[in-house]
């Protein structure tokens, strides 16, 4: 059930269509910034997952952040590693407290983000604090070697 624009016009157009829909329906300002060079050698399956990660994080921000703006950025950060970042200037939240009580919330936003991150063998990092907005980062390896480096670094940080 992928959006037709993702299939026909690609990831950037699909993200922009989502931003336009958010503006039209919810009056939510979503800014898309994609370094298209990262897409040249990225398989379509990975692009699909990135689209759904961005869509989930934007919807979470729209529902909970009371943000004036939400930014969706996709760019290279290290050789063979892309960064998808969804950031808002909303109310923020205590990440640790929300994660502790998550099974009682009846919401799947964070679970969906984690599961989709795993689909691309990525690493998810969510930073937020009350009054400080939220930044969701998904580090996405573009090769097997990059995946090993990324997960090794995340385990050390861990």
């Amino acid at each position: 059930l992928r959006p037709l624009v993702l299939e026909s016009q690609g990831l950037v157009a699909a993200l922009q269509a989502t931003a336009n829909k958010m503006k039209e329906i919810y009056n939510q300002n979503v800014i898309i910034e994609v370094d298209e060079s990262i897409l040249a050698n990225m398989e379509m399956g990975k692009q699909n997952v990135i689209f759904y990660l961005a869509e989930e994080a934007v919807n979470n921000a729209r529902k909970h952040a009371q943000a004036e703006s939400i930014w969706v950025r996709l760019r290279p950060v290290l050789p063979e590693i892309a960064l998808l970042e969804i950031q808002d200037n909303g109310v923020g939240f205590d990440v640790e407290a929300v994660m502790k009580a998550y099974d009682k919330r009846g919401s799947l936003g964070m679970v969906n983000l984690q599961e989709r991150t795993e689909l691309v063998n990525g690493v998810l990092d969510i930073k937020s604090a009350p009054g400080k907005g939220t930044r969701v980062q998904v580090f996405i390896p573009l090769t097997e070697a990059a995946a090993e480096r990324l997960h090794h670094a995340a385990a050390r940080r861990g």
Side-chain angles (χ1 to χ4, degrees):
L1 297 175
R2 289 187 295 274
L4 187 57
V5 69
L6 182 59
E7 289 288 319
S8 62
Q9 298 173 43
L11 180 59
V12 177
L15 291 171
Q16 193 56 57
T18 298
N20 296 345
K21 184 176 83 175
M22 289 292 166
K23 187 69 172 171
E24 242 173 70
I25 298 173
Y26 303 106
N27 200 31
Q28 178 67 64
N29 194 27
V30 178
I31 299 107
I32 307 296
E33 300 171 1
V34 175
D35 178 337
E36 294 192 45
S37 70
I38 197 105
L39 302 177
N41 298 312
M42 186 185 293
E43 61 268 16
M44 198 63 205
K46 203 164 265 191
Q47 291 186 40
N48 289 339
V49 175
I50 288 170
F51 173 79
Y52 289 114
L53 279 161
E55 184 180 56
E56 184 72 49
V58 165
N59 277 318
N60 289 348
R62 178 187 58 77
K63 290 178 195 168
H64 305 293
Q66 302 163 33
E68 181 183 302
S69 296
I70 303 167
W71 291 265
V72 177
R73 299 180 188 101
L74 179 63
R75 59 189 168 86
V77 286
L78 291 168
E80 304 174 328
I81 296 177
L83 172 62
L84 172 65
E85 186 172 61
I86 300 88
Q87 186 172 359
D88 68 63
N89 59 359
V91 298
F93 65 100
D94 181 332
V95 177
E96 202 173 307
V98 167
M99 294 312 242
K100 269 189 208 153
Y102 204 72
D103 53 346
K104 297 172 185 66
R105 289 187 49 168
S107 163
L108 291 174
M110 299 285 222
V111 171
N112 287 342
L113 288 175
Q114 185 58 53
E115 287 178 353
R116 288 181 173 139
T117 297
E118 290 168 11
L119 286 175
V120 292
N121 206 3
V123 173
L124 174 67
D125 185 38
I126 300 172
K127 288 189 171 51
S128 188
K132 302 283 187 196
T134 300
R135 185 171 65 200
V136 175
Q137 294 182 310
V138 182
F139 294 89
I140 304 161
L142 303 177
T143 63
E144 282 304 312
E148 287 179 28
R149 288 195 318 269
L150 182 62
H151 287 279
H152 184 70
R156 278 199 322 255
R157 243 190 16 230

